[in-house]
Amino acid sequence: MRSNRVKLFAVLACVLGLVAVACSSDSGNDTDDNQQDTASLLDEVRDRDQLICGTRDDLTGFAQKNSEGEFEGFDVEFCKVIAAGILGDATKVEFKALGPERFTSVQAGEVDILFRNATATASRDGREGLAFPFTTVYDGQRMMVSGDSDITSLDDMDGASICVVQGTTTELNLNAVLGARGISFNPVLYSSHTELREAYQAGLCEGYTADGSALFVYKFTSEQAGGPQQRILDEVMSKEPLGAVIADGDSKWEQAVTWVMRATIQAWEFGLDSTNINSYSGNDVNILNFLGRNDFDPGLGLDRDFAINVVDQVGNYKEIYDRTLGATGLIMEGSYNRLWSDGGLHYAPPYR
Amino acid sequence: MSEVMSNGVMSEVMSAEALMPSKKLSARGWMRANLFNRWYNAVLTLILALVIAYLGFRSIRYLFWTAEWEPVRANLTLFMIGSFPRDEQWRVVVQLLLLAAAFGVIWGSMIGASRDRAAQSGSPFSAEPGWVALRRWWGLVLLLGVLLLAAWGILPLVLAFGCIALIFMLRRIAMRLASKVRIYAWFGGYVLLIASWQIVSGTGGSAWFWAAGLLAFWGIRTVRKKDLTPRLPLTLVAIVGGGAVAWAIYTFILNGLINFSGVGWDNWSGFHLNLIAATISIIAAFPLGLILALGRRSSLPAIRWLCVTYIELIRGVPLIGLLFIGNSLLGFFIDNDPFIDFFLDTPLSQISRAIVIMSLFTAAYLAEVIRGGLEATPRGQTEAGQSVGLSPWQITSRIVMPQTLRASIPAIVGQFISLLKDSSLLSIIAVSEILRVRASVHSQGAFTTLGTAETLVFIAFAFWAFAFTWSRESQRLEKHLGVGER
């Protein structure tokens, strides 16, 4: 009995000792970070000197990993745009590949910003506590069938099996659009594009529906690799504005990232790109303001030369688009992803 | 009781052996006796031979001719270490060398120890030659061969054969050490293991903390030359004290002199991550499972119900569900907790959370496996211990546990193998383990539709090589422990 009590005391002493050691260790490195709960993410990112950007690792053209394990693609470039605009260095990004619970990571603050071709919708903006500051790609849902299929429009798809990724707006749209036309179809659900593509290749479904961008990229890369011909139907089944996602309620962070992304459009409109932005010698006041050469500060909390950093280190919108999506078969011509002056939807409010 | 039983079984086995023909049949005779002894057996043999030949032909044609291995070959590094920073790749190389060294030392020491035991009891002993072991591990050797073939070059060849040479050299040296010196070899092997972990994970020092604690335990044990189990509290105090001193030295002195910064958990990926995640989970789950199994049989209701609740709760939930909970929910409340940060090298990342979940999950299953072993240990064993005046702790650790663990080895190893394979479930929460890497590979422009089956075959082969080798080793251990003990 006595020895038991001694044992108990000894074990307690051990636990106390451990706690003491643990506590003494944080007094050194744990400054009062927790007191600044009200501070903006903008300051936090600057203090950290690193942007944590949520993206994905499996969507060709948008965000993928190359054989060196580096992230690349359109969404990845926009992570770099944010880092260049806010930290002045496009390489200061930590990429996090996220799965279907991508929005939870934004809400929990595990990522500062999300570029994972997510569609802006009302309920995501409202109920899910997210904010969609900028649309990077105006996309729409399309349907792809095999090149030798006799399906030429959605109306021919009565009774057809259609592959779709589960839990996406794509799945909801498919039901809504085909339901409204009174077409009964057989949905085949997959949890990721990788599995879906394999099922489609194996002929498990006649139609493959996804954002048009993903389908064009698939068609292009698979036909280049000598795969069978594919056909993408003309009907556009939905509006899919894809873009950046951040958590609600941080207006300082929101306006900073919004204007950094708008800079890629503004530079395009001004005719500035990574090759000529540093050598601009004109005297257009708007451009000089934009480049931070004048004594102009709109009070966005950004460095005066943020636009130069973005365009010089990453590029303007067209450059980014052409070397990622353009190179994988998504042609800008004829799409909404052109400048407003050219019949597209990309339009940046004036920087003044 | 078991004596009588096993005698009965033994005699049956003996009589069955006596009935078997003693002389070896020739190949032709064997075929006549086994494959063509009746007309219907002959027909069956012929049909099956055709089926096997056809399948074999198709498989070989696929593997060597029609399959597109280019996605695997071009992304071999990606499959193995994922997005581990390429300029830090030397860390993985050093880790491999350290692991090889640790393996060689520990293996040699084990052989030396069993040779000494044999010498004590006067039974003959002959060490198994190294190449016999290599033959046993043919699965792993095959995997290594395939990897070397795919990554054809001088450096991988030198590394692979360097590791093998290191293993056998150190094994040979450690094997011949005198039993007095062997304790240092055990230490050395242990330190090498810890170092192999530190070389990748870098700063933090907590690994060294635990290492120092365990070394303190061994040190006291050696100095006192007696069983420490009755003095468990004192020992724990010594471990924690020794560990704290070692940690202080490491943090305040060594860390200032040498920069140990490494690669954080979040950058580990590929098959490297599968193996690490499974290994850590195994190491963490085993003691926890042991405690839970004992707790479930405890006479204190509070402890018993706590353990029962834990085990049944965890076993009632699928691993995927737990992973989702760990991934999505835990992030809300335990991130940036200074207490947790101290024990882990980096703040709780997505990967470490997943590893914690895997450990907790496996512990519940292990607890049931070990409890099965406990139930199988005859009650008389405990009573015998009580009658000679051993304390409950001594009875458990010296009498019951050894028998229990021996009885549950196959199931425990089975659990570990399934844990290794379950690590591929991490792909669901977008941790880039090998299966997730495959998704990345097929998002590369050139491989969107090319070789999608081949990458799966390759991944399955990598898992098989490890699982198969572990299972072979467990069979051997089982046989080894069972011989002449019961």
Side-chain angles (χ1 to χ4, degrees), chain A residues 16 18 20 40 42 48 50 52 60-61 92 119 156 177 212 283 289 291-292 300 302 347:
Chain A
L16 282 179
L18 275 178
S40 168
L42 183 62
R48 201 196 298 136
Q50 180 102 344
I52 303 177
T60 317
K92 287 182 177 167
T119 305
D156 300 337
V177 172
N283 47 12
N289 281 349
L291 298 180
L300 295 167
L302 295 167
Y347 184 100

PDB file of all heavy atoms in Angstrom, chain A residues 16 18 20 40 42 48 50 52 60-61 92 119 156 177 212 283 289 291-292 300 302 347:
ATOM      1  N   LEU A  16       4.618  16.355 -13.721  1.00  0.00           N
ATOM      2  CA  LEU A  16       4.868  17.771 -13.423  1.00  0.00           C
ATOM      3  C   LEU A  16       6.164  18.227 -14.074  1.00  0.00           C
ATOM      4  O   LEU A  16       6.235  19.307 -14.659  1.00  0.00           O
ATOM      5  CB  LEU A  16       4.927  17.997 -11.914  1.00  0.00           C
ATOM      6  CG  LEU A  16       3.555  18.030 -11.233  1.00  0.00           C
ATOM      7  CD1 LEU A  16       3.708  18.229  -9.746  1.00  0.00           C
ATOM      8  CD2 LEU A  16       2.703  19.149 -11.831  1.00  0.00           C
ATOM      9  N   LEU A  18       7.624  17.047 -16.701  1.00  0.00           N
ATOM     10  CA  LEU A  18       7.430  17.184 -18.149  1.00  0.00           C
ATOM     11  C   LEU A  18       6.751  18.493 -18.471  1.00  0.00           C
ATOM     12  O   LEU A  18       7.147  19.219 -19.381  1.00  0.00           O
ATOM     13  CB  LEU A  18       6.552  16.036 -18.658  1.00  0.00           C
ATOM     14  CG  LEU A  18       7.276  14.748 -18.989  1.00  0.00           C
ATOM     15  CD1 LEU A  18       6.280  13.702 -19.430  1.00  0.00           C
ATOM     16  CD2 LEU A  18       8.273  14.995 -20.098  1.00  0.00           C
ATOM     17  N   ALA A  20       6.666  21.163 -16.692  1.00  0.00           N
ATOM     18  CA  ALA A  20       7.572  22.278 -16.410  1.00  0.00           C
ATOM     19  C   ALA A  20       8.543  22.478 -17.568  1.00  0.00           C
ATOM     20  O   ALA A  20       8.732  23.598 -18.057  1.00  0.00           O
ATOM     21  CB  ALA A  20       8.328  22.027 -15.114  1.00  0.00           C
ATOM     22  N   SER A  40      -5.102  41.969 -39.281  1.00  0.00           N
ATOM     23  CA  SER A  40      -5.436  41.424 -40.588  1.00  0.00           C
ATOM     24  C   SER A  40      -4.436  40.340 -40.975  1.00  0.00           C
ATOM     25  O   SER A  40      -3.286  40.319 -40.534  1.00  0.00           O
ATOM     26  CB  SER A  40      -5.406  42.537 -41.613  1.00  0.00           C
ATOM     27  OG  SER A  40      -5.457  41.988 -42.901  1.00  0.00           O
ATOM     28  N   LEU A  42      -3.146  40.275 -43.668  1.00  0.00           N
ATOM     29  CA  LEU A  42      -2.108  40.969 -44.426  1.00  0.00           C
ATOM     30  C   LEU A  42      -0.847  41.146 -43.578  1.00  0.00           C
ATOM     31  O   LEU A  42       0.270  40.862 -44.019  1.00  0.00           O
ATOM     32  CB  LEU A  42      -2.635  42.326 -44.890  1.00  0.00           C
ATOM     33  CG  LEU A  42      -1.716  43.175 -45.762  1.00  0.00           C
ATOM     34  CD1 LEU A  42      -1.399  42.452 -47.058  1.00  0.00           C
ATOM     35  CD2 LEU A  42      -2.331  44.516 -46.054  1.00  0.00           C
ATOM     36  N   ARG A  48       5.177  36.674 -41.335  1.00  0.00           N
ATOM     37  CA  ARG A  48       5.639  35.324 -41.647  1.00  0.00           C
ATOM     38  C   ARG A  48       6.610  35.358 -42.821  1.00  0.00           C
ATOM     39  O   ARG A  48       7.447  34.474 -42.969  1.00  0.00           O
ATOM     40  CB  ARG A  48       4.424  34.472 -41.973  1.00  0.00           C
ATOM     41  CG  ARG A  48       4.643  32.994 -41.842  1.00  0.00           C
ATOM     42  CD  ARG A  48       3.550  32.204 -42.537  1.00  0.00           C
ATOM     43  NE  ARG A  48       2.229  32.430 -42.000  1.00  0.00           N
ATOM     44  CZ  ARG A  48       1.152  32.614 -42.779  1.00  0.00           C
ATOM     45  NH1 ARG A  48       1.259  32.610 -44.093  1.00  0.00           N
ATOM     46  NH2 ARG A  48      -0.031  32.821 -42.237  1.00  0.00           N
ATOM     47  N   GLN A  50       5.903  34.751 -45.797  1.00  0.00           N
ATOM     48  CA  GLN A  50       5.618  33.560 -46.604  1.00  0.00           C
ATOM     49  C   GLN A  50       4.113  33.505 -46.801  1.00  0.00           C
ATOM     50  O   GLN A  50       3.364  33.698 -45.844  1.00  0.00           O
ATOM     51  CB  GLN A  50       6.097  32.320 -45.849  1.00  0.00           C
ATOM     52  CG  GLN A  50       5.857  31.020 -46.561  1.00  0.00           C
ATOM     53  CD  GLN A  50       7.120  30.495 -47.209  1.00  0.00           C
ATOM     54  OE1 GLN A  50       8.068  31.243 -47.371  1.00  0.00           O
ATOM     55  NE2 GLN A  50       7.152  29.238 -47.555  1.00  0.00           N
ATOM     56  N   ILE A  52       0.890  31.207 -47.605  1.00  0.00           N
ATOM     57  CA  ILE A  52       0.450  29.808 -47.677  1.00  0.00           C
ATOM     58  C   ILE A  52      -0.737  29.753 -48.610  1.00  0.00           C
ATOM     59  O   ILE A  52      -1.789  30.324 -48.343  1.00  0.00           O
ATOM     60  CB  ILE A  52       0.089  29.256 -46.288  1.00  0.00           C
ATOM     61  CG1 ILE A  52       1.284  29.393 -45.357  1.00  0.00           C
ATOM     62  CG2 ILE A  52      -0.314  27.797 -46.402  1.00  0.00           C
ATOM     63  CD1 ILE A  52       1.000  28.943 -43.953  1.00  0.00           C
ATOM     64  N   THR A  60      -4.468  19.283 -64.822  1.00  0.00           N
ATOM     65  CA  THR A  60      -3.594  19.746 -65.890  1.00  0.00           C
ATOM     66  C   THR A  60      -3.929  21.180 -66.289  1.00  0.00           C
ATOM     67  O   THR A  60      -5.087  21.508 -66.466  1.00  0.00           O
ATOM     68  CB  THR A  60      -3.762  18.840 -67.120  1.00  0.00           C
ATOM     69  OG1 THR A  60      -3.815  17.498 -66.666  1.00  0.00           O
ATOM     70  CG2 THR A  60      -2.608  19.005 -68.086  1.00  0.00           C
ATOM     71  N   GLY A  61      -2.904  21.998 -66.427  1.00  0.00           N
ATOM     72  CA  GLY A  61      -3.097  23.372 -66.859  1.00  0.00           C
ATOM     73  C   GLY A  61      -3.331  24.318 -65.695  1.00  0.00           C
ATOM     74  O   GLY A  61      -2.771  25.395 -65.659  1.00  0.00           O
ATOM     75  N   LYS A  92       8.202  33.350 -52.477  1.00  0.00           N
ATOM     76  CA  LYS A  92       7.885  33.150 -51.057  1.00  0.00           C
ATOM     77  C   LYS A  92       6.482  32.571 -50.869  1.00  0.00           C
ATOM     78  O   LYS A  92       5.636  33.162 -50.217  1.00  0.00           O
ATOM     79  CB  LYS A  92       8.020  34.465 -50.295  1.00  0.00           C
ATOM     80  CG  LYS A  92       9.477  34.861 -50.108  1.00  0.00           C
ATOM     81  CD  LYS A  92       9.613  36.125 -49.327  1.00  0.00           C
ATOM     82  CE  LYS A  92      11.097  36.447 -49.099  1.00  0.00           C
ATOM     83  NZ  LYS A  92      11.279  37.822 -48.619  1.00  0.00           N
ATOM     84  N   THR A 119     -15.574  27.572 -58.016  1.00  0.00           N
ATOM     85  CA  THR A 119     -16.598  28.461 -58.565  1.00  0.00           C
ATOM     86  C   THR A 119     -17.181  29.334 -57.462  1.00  0.00           C
ATOM     87  O   THR A 119     -17.474  28.837 -56.375  1.00  0.00           O
ATOM     88  CB  THR A 119     -17.730  27.622 -59.179  1.00  0.00           C
ATOM     89  OG1 THR A 119     -17.171  26.734 -60.125  1.00  0.00           O
ATOM     90  CG2 THR A 119     -18.760  28.502 -59.861  1.00  0.00           C
ATOM     91  N   ASP A 156     -29.455  14.450 -77.410  1.00  0.00           N
ATOM     92  CA  ASP A 156     -29.234  13.066 -77.830  1.00  0.00           C
ATOM     93  C   ASP A 156     -28.844  12.168 -76.661  1.00  0.00           C
ATOM     94  O   ASP A 156     -28.584  10.986 -76.851  1.00  0.00           O
ATOM     95  CB  ASP A 156     -28.092  12.994 -78.866  1.00  0.00           C
ATOM     96  CG  ASP A 156     -28.415  13.813 -80.097  1.00  0.00           C
ATOM     97  OD1 ASP A 156     -29.611  14.048 -80.331  1.00  0.00           O
ATOM     98  OD2 ASP A 156     -27.472  14.210 -80.799  1.00  0.00           O
ATOM     99  N   VAL A 177     -29.742  21.055 -65.484  1.00  0.00           N
ATOM    100  CA  VAL A 177     -29.890  21.333 -66.915  1.00  0.00           C
ATOM    101  C   VAL A 177     -30.600  20.185 -67.632  1.00  0.00           C
ATOM    102  O   VAL A 177     -31.575  20.390 -68.364  1.00  0.00           O
ATOM    103  CB  VAL A 177     -28.509  21.601 -67.558  1.00  0.00           C
ATOM    104  CG1 VAL A 177     -28.631  21.690 -69.059  1.00  0.00           C
ATOM    105  CG2 VAL A 177     -27.915  22.871 -66.991  1.00  0.00           C
ATOM    106  N   GLY A 212     -15.511  23.528 -68.862  1.00  0.00           N
ATOM    107  CA  GLY A 212     -14.999  23.482 -70.215  1.00  0.00           C
ATOM    108  C   GLY A 212     -13.482  23.479 -70.271  1.00  0.00           C
ATOM    109  O   GLY A 212     -12.882  22.759 -71.064  1.00  0.00           O
ATOM    110  N   ASN A 283       4.998  58.934 -70.565  1.00  0.00           N
ATOM    111  CA  ASN A 283       4.627  59.834 -69.479  1.00  0.00           C
ATOM    112  C   ASN A 283       3.125  59.850 -69.234  1.00  0.00           C
ATOM    113  O   ASN A 283       2.559  60.852 -68.833  1.00  0.00           O
ATOM    114  CB  ASN A 283       5.172  61.240 -69.729  1.00  0.00           C
ATOM    115  CG  ASN A 283       4.868  61.665 -71.160  1.00  0.00           C
ATOM    116  OD1 ASN A 283       4.071  61.002 -71.841  1.00  0.00           O
ATOM    117  ND2 ASN A 283       5.468  62.750 -71.607  1.00  0.00           N
ATOM    118  N   ASN A 289       1.370  56.252 -62.231  1.00  0.00           N
ATOM    119  CA  ASN A 289       0.758  55.961 -60.928  1.00  0.00           C
ATOM    120  C   ASN A 289       0.783  54.459 -60.651  1.00  0.00           C
ATOM    121  O   ASN A 289       1.131  54.003 -59.565  1.00  0.00           O
ATOM    122  CB  ASN A 289      -0.701  56.433 -60.910  1.00  0.00           C
ATOM    123  CG  ASN A 289      -0.805  57.923 -60.695  1.00  0.00           C
ATOM    124  OD1 ASN A 289       0.194  58.570 -60.350  1.00  0.00           O
ATOM    125  ND2 ASN A 289      -1.988  58.473 -60.911  1.00  0.00           N
ATOM    126  N   LEU A 291       2.694  52.229 -61.802  1.00  0.00           N
ATOM    127  CA  LEU A 291       4.038  51.708 -61.560  1.00  0.00           C
ATOM    128  C   LEU A 291       4.657  52.267 -60.284  1.00  0.00           C
ATOM    129  O   LEU A 291       5.780  51.905 -59.928  1.00  0.00           O
ATOM    130  CB  LEU A 291       4.949  52.028 -62.749  1.00  0.00           C
ATOM    131  CG  LEU A 291       4.526  51.405 -64.084  1.00  0.00           C
ATOM    132  CD1 LEU A 291       5.500  51.804 -65.176  1.00  0.00           C
ATOM    133  CD2 LEU A 291       4.450  49.891 -63.967  1.00  0.00           C
ATOM    134  N   GLY A 292       3.939  53.183 -59.622  1.00  0.00           N
ATOM    135  CA  GLY A 292       4.469  53.712 -58.359  1.00  0.00           C
ATOM    136  C   GLY A 292       5.578  54.722 -58.559  1.00  0.00           C
ATOM    137  O   GLY A 292       6.337  54.997 -57.632  1.00  0.00           O
ATOM    138  N   LEU A 300      -4.032  51.078 -50.107  1.00  0.00           N
ATOM    139  CA  LEU A 300      -4.477  49.687 -50.087  1.00  0.00           C
ATOM    140  C   LEU A 300      -3.621  48.830 -49.160  1.00  0.00           C
ATOM    141  O   LEU A 300      -3.876  47.649 -48.981  1.00  0.00           O
ATOM    142  CB  LEU A 300      -4.403  49.099 -51.501  1.00  0.00           C
ATOM    143  CG  LEU A 300      -5.341  49.702 -52.540  1.00  0.00           C
ATOM    144  CD1 LEU A 300      -4.939  49.262 -53.930  1.00  0.00           C
ATOM    145  CD2 LEU A 300      -6.767  49.271 -52.239  1.00  0.00           C
ATOM    146  N   LEU A 302      -0.495  48.274 -49.826  1.00  0.00           N
ATOM    147  CA  LEU A 302       0.475  47.582 -50.676  1.00  0.00           C
ATOM    148  C   LEU A 302       1.693  48.475 -50.892  1.00  0.00           C
ATOM    149  O   LEU A 302       1.597  49.705 -50.792  1.00  0.00           O
ATOM    150  CB  LEU A 302      -0.155  47.275 -52.032  1.00  0.00           C
ATOM    151  CG  LEU A 302      -1.322  46.289 -52.005  1.00  0.00           C
ATOM    152  CD1 LEU A 302      -2.048  46.307 -53.332  1.00  0.00           C
ATOM    153  CD2 LEU A 302      -0.809  44.889 -51.696  1.00  0.00           C
ATOM    154  N   TYR A 347     -11.906  43.069 -66.739  1.00  0.00           N
ATOM    155  CA  TYR A 347     -12.093  44.512 -66.613  1.00  0.00           C
ATOM    156  C   TYR A 347     -11.588  44.902 -65.243  1.00  0.00           C
ATOM    157  O   TYR A 347     -12.069  44.389 -64.227  1.00  0.00           O
ATOM    158  CB  TYR A 347     -13.594  44.800 -66.738  1.00  0.00           C
ATOM    159  CG  TYR A 347     -14.000  46.247 -66.723  1.00  0.00           C
ATOM    160  CD1 TYR A 347     -14.293  46.905 -67.916  1.00  0.00           C
ATOM    161  CD2 TYR A 347     -14.119  46.947 -65.533  1.00  0.00           C
ATOM    162  CE1 TYR A 347     -14.695  48.229 -67.908  1.00  0.00           C
ATOM    163  CE2 TYR A 347     -14.516  48.270 -65.524  1.00  0.00           C
ATOM    164  CZ  TYR A 347     -14.802  48.905 -66.708  1.00  0.00           C
ATOM    165  OH  TYR A 347     -15.194  50.203 -66.703  1.00  0.00           O
TER     166      TYR A 347
END
